[in-house]
Amino acid sequence: MYEVEVKVRADHDAVRERLDAAEAERVNRVAQTDTYYDAPHRDFAETDEALRLRRESRYEGGELADEETVVTYKGPLVDESSKTRREYETGVDDGETMDDICEAVGFEPAATVEKERERFALDGYTVSLDSVSGLGEFVEVEVEVESGVDDAREGAFAVLRELGLDPDDQIRTSYLGMLLGAPEE
């Protein structure tokens, strides 16, 4: 499975207006805490890979409810035009135990990214309005595909344009990379 993603900095109020005009479906609003791990056998920053444990809580009636945890491996970027990469993800029943397992086999926590994310569905894509602690506001447009990466990327660019955003302004650096001081690509 490939995750095709494009991300830009953007003011959320203007994008919400365009999402409303495009009749996008509001999916949910969540708080996410992502813990990234360093591998004992290779440098993920050098190989452009990531191992992440994500804790996500949905907002229900203005309150956070039900935390879910998933572990995700993200492979290196596969093209120069987006943040497309191979991704494997699965649910975890107990996030604390997964933390303990990672550390027991030599994976050390490297950094944590915290964000509020509001998700919308539009034209078969997920549009996320992200407010990332220490970084600001971003819009991500993404879809998962087994093949047809080029078509999916062009579709994501079309969604950005529909929202009044320029695909040429996209940032290929992850939130983790930005927090650690990597230049925005």
Side-chain angles (χ1 to χ4, degrees):
M1 187 70 66
Y2 291 93
E3 176 189 58
V4 177
E5 174 187 310
V6 291
K7 171 175 58 190
V8 297
R9 286 187 181 274
D11 175 77
H12 287 176
D13 291 335
V15 174
R16 274 192 199 92
E17 288 178 19
R18 289 187 177 106
L19 285 164
D20 187 48
E23 298 182 1
E25 176 188 347
R26 187 172 192 274
V27 176
N28 62 19
R29 183 172 158 239
V30 298
Q32 295 178 334
T33 301
D34 297 342
T35 303
Y36 288 86
Y37 290 87
D38 282 332
H41 59 293
R42 66 178 174 259
D43 183 349
F44 281 165
E46 209 173 273
T47 61
D48 194 28
E49 297 170 280
L51 179 66
R52 175 187 73 203
L53 190 64
R54 171 173 284 169
R55 290 172 173 85
E56 178 176 286
S57 298
R58 284 177 171 45
Y59 282 93
E60 293 179 11
E63 300 290 323
L64 287 173
D66 297 335
E67 181 177 278
E68 294 179 4
T69 305
V70 295
V71 63
T72 306
Y73 164 78
K74 292 179 174 258
L77 295 174
V78 299
D79 76 17
E80 295 181 11
S81 303
S82 67
K83 285 191 63 203
T84 302
R85 56 178 78 229
R86 189 170 293 278
E87 180 177 288
Y88 301 98
E89 185 170 84
T90 190
V92 174
D93 287 337
D94 182 340
E96 297 304 316
T97 299
M98 189 67 211
D99 276 326
D100 292 341
I101 290 169
C102 286
E103 290 184 38
V105 296
F107 286 77
E108 293 292 327
T112 300
V113 176
E114 295 180 340
K115 66 180 163 291
E116 298 282 321
R117 172 171 275 180
E118 201 174 347
R119 291 186 186 111
F120 297 84
L122 180 63
D123 298 337
Y125 288 80
T126 299
V127 177
S128 298
L129 307 185
D130 291 345
S131 295
V132 184
S133 296
L135 295 177
E137 293 185 341
F138 299 85
V139 174
E140 288 187 357
V141 176
E142 67 181 64
V143 66
E144 290 185 354
V145 296
E146 290 186 25
S147 61
V149 167
D150 292 340
D151 290 339
R153 181 184 59 245
E154 292 307 314
F157 289 167
V159 170
L160 278 178
R161 285 187 208 88
E162 185 174 356
L163 298 175
L165 303 170
D166 187 348
D168 289 339
D169 293 338
Q170 80 164 297
I171 301 165
R172 294 180 69 227
T173 304
S174 68
Y175 295 137
L176 173 64
M178 285 187 258
L179 282 171
L180 296 177
E184 294 179 9
E185 293 179 37

